[in-house]
Amino acid sequence: MDTVIGSIDTCNPATGDICRPPNGTVSTVQTSPPAHSTTISPCDATLGRYLARRLVEIGVTDVFSVPGDFNLTLLDHLIAEPSLKLIGCCNELNAGYAADGYARSRGVGACVVTFTVGGLSVLNAIAGAYSENLPLICIVGGPNSNDYGTSRILHHTIGLPDFTQELRCFQAVTCYQAVINNLEEAHELIDTAISTALKESKPVYISISCNLPAIPMPTFSRHPVPFSLAPKVSNLMGLDAAVEAAAEFLNRAVKPVLVGGPKMRDVSTMIRCGQKTIIFLINNGGYTIEVEIHDGPYNVIKNWNYTAFVEAIHNGEGKCWTAKVRCEDELVKAISTATNEEKESFCFIEVIVHKDDTSKELLEWGSRVSAANSRPPNPQ
């Protein structure tokens, strides 16, 4: 793991280029500055706009964010980039998982949160991306650069004059960490972080002091050297074999399940952004997997009226359609409606199933996990 605070000893890796879209194809990023100009206007020659341009260069056009007082100026400069869209999420964990999904679809993702209270909240999503080998750029708005090295106790911390708690947590789940609290080396640290994420196919952490994003700097006034990384191409024979094996497995399944539940709060984000998504929520009234491992009263939860919840979030703004189904015929009809009459809407289908509706394989798996978890300690 590499951690950089303020300076690095490696050469400038601002040689760059690649992000990995789905289906094994390779998409190169811009390889030369725009023909109309070799310089950038002073108002755009800021750290915040530089970061925005670099994200766009690697194929990121949507950044998932949650505002906090340490990242607000940075968010202003990201919004100012015409090719970048800021997607506001309901909490940091959801922003991290949205960036995770974006990275799976587009090759690389990014999220922006605030110092410590936001960073620690997004951490679980970043850890998941690390385990799944996803290049995800986690950007945190950090304390004012003047506060480093002082004994000040800041809000959004654990009440100690130590600003490294968040950094130490990210060291375990990212392949590179950069804490930017001066402008002189900011471009180099940003480029190193982004290129490392792409080369290693792992998340990286970038903390930017809250008083730096709006300050112009000569190093940000010229178009940077484009990224140029070796293409990563899928093994097409291996991919075809994997798809064929997965299809064969699903075709043999008696009760294949290919749907799941969303993070309910960010349904509001999907509706606000005009997503034409179809979401299936499987409602079995509890934690069936846990029941098969070890049953108890803690596995029973209060049932919600999920469709009514989505309708409340909708509140007549935007296009939204919901349905609650209890049998196969109702499900077929709901899918037909979602893909025809309501194809321009956000569609939410709640599928009611019995709490004991499970497969033989899950029952067997639950028994094996239960046996493994309950093994007595080895003799000392």
Side-chain angles (χ1 to χ4, degrees):
M1 304 292 177
D2 296 324
T3 301
V4 177
I5 301 181
S7 64
I8 58 176
D9 298 326
T10 57
C11 62
N12 188 346
T15 60
D17 147 350
I18 223 298
C19 73
R20 210 172 5 152
N23 300 326
T25 60
V26 172
S27 169
T28 56
V29 182
Q30 178 179 301
T31 55
S32 60
H36 64 274
S37 172
T38 58
T39 60
I40 294 167
S41 64
C43 64
D44 294 335
T46 62
L47 186 157
R49 292 300 300 275
Y50 180 85
L51 174 61
R53 288 191 294 273
R54 282 314 229 177
L55 291 175
V56 170
E57 233 182 42
I58 62 171
V60 173
T61 57
D62 302 272
V63 174
F64 302 92
S65 67
V66 177
D69 62 324
F70 287 124
N71 70 11
L72 297 177
T73 302
L74 176 60
L75 295 181
D76 285 340
H77 285 259
L78 296 179
I79 290 173
E81 170 57 47
S83 300
L84 201 62
K85 183 178 181 181
L86 210 62
I87 308 295
C89 298
C90 293
N91 62 50
E92 291 84 2
L93 185 60
N94 287 2
Y97 281 129
D100 174 299
Y102 191 92
R104 294 170 192 266
S105 172
R106 298 284 295 273
V108 59
C111 61
V112 183
V113 299
T114 195
F115 180 60
T116 303
V117 65
L120 298 185
S121 179
V122 77
L123 196 64
N124 203 38
I126 303 303
Y130 188 91
S131 68
E132 295 287 336
N133 298 316
L134 296 172
L136 198 161
I137 300 161
C138 182
I139 304 159
V140 175
N144 188 292
S145 61
N146 298 303
D147 290 330
Y148 282 89
T150 69
S151 298
R152 295 189 63 187
I153 296 177
L154 300 181
H155 62 297
H156 289 185
T157 68
I158 60 171
L160 297 175
D162 176 6
F163 301 161
T164 66
Q165 181 197 32
E166 176 184 86
L167 170 64
R168 295 197 304 271
C169 292
F170 274 92
Q171 285 173 337
V173 295
T174 57
C175 66
Y176 184 87
Q177 308 85 35
V179 176
I180 300 173
N181 51 31
N182 69 77
L183 289 171
E184 285 70 23
E185 294 157 332
H187 72 286
E188 189 172 1
L189 296 176
I190 289 172
D191 287 357
T192 302
I194 292 175
S195 60
T196 302
L198 297 177
K199 285 188 292 186
E200 301 294 331
S201 197
K202 293 281 189 182
V204 294
Y205 166 86
I206 303 175
S207 173
I208 299 176
S209 289
C210 61
N211 58 328
L212 300 185
I215 302 176
M217 185 77 177
T219 54
F220 304 137
S221 64
R222 297 187 64 83
H223 290 283
V225 177
F227 289 113
S228 152
L229 301 177
K232 294 183 179 180
V233 183
S234 295
N235 181 325
L236 294 181
M237 290 181 64
L239 181 62
D240 288 343
V243 170
E244 188 174 319
E248 183 182 353
F249 175 79
L250 292 172
N251 288 334
R252 289 200 314 263
V254 177
K255 295 190 298 183
V257 176
L258 300 176
V259 290
K263 297 289 184 183
M264 291 297 295
R265 279 182 288 187
D266 265 303
V267 164
S268 62
T269 304
M270 300 177 195
I271 296 174
R272 175 167 53 84
C273 294
Q275 292 290 301
K276 301 171 185 178
T277 305
I278 302 175
I279 288 181
F280 296 87
L281 184 138
I282 309 301
N283 183 357
N284 60 4
Y287 299 118
T288 298
I289 292 177
E290 284 73 16
V291 166
E292 303 308 331
I293 297 172
H294 185 95
D295 201 5
Y298 33 75
N299 290 326
V300 180
I301 61 174
K302 175 69 177 72
N303 203 17
W304 290 6
N305 187 339
Y306 291 98
T307 52
F309 183 59
V310 172
E311 288 162 4
I313 293 173
H314 174 216
N315 196 28
E317 300 176 6
K319 295 183 178 180
C320 176
W321 178 80
T322 66
K324 192 188 297 277
V325 302
R326 294 176 172 81
C327 65
E328 183 177 349
D329 289 343
E330 291 178 353
L331 178 60
V332 170
K333 182 179 178 181
I335 292 174
S336 175
T337 301
T339 54
N340 290 286
E341 300 97 305
E342 298 293 341
K343 65 180 180 181
E344 297 300 316
S345 302
F346 171 86
C347 296
F348 181 90
I349 301 174
E350 180 180 358
V351 183
I352 309 297
V353 299
H354 192 276
K355 64 182 181 66
D356 295 325
D357 185 359
T358 185
S359 66
K360 176 172 67 80
E361 290 78 12
L362 180 57
L363 291 172
E364 294 172 350
W365 178 84
S367 297
R368 290 197 297 269
V369 172
S370 178
N373 289 352
S374 59
R375 287 172 295 166
N378 291 326
Q380 298 298 318

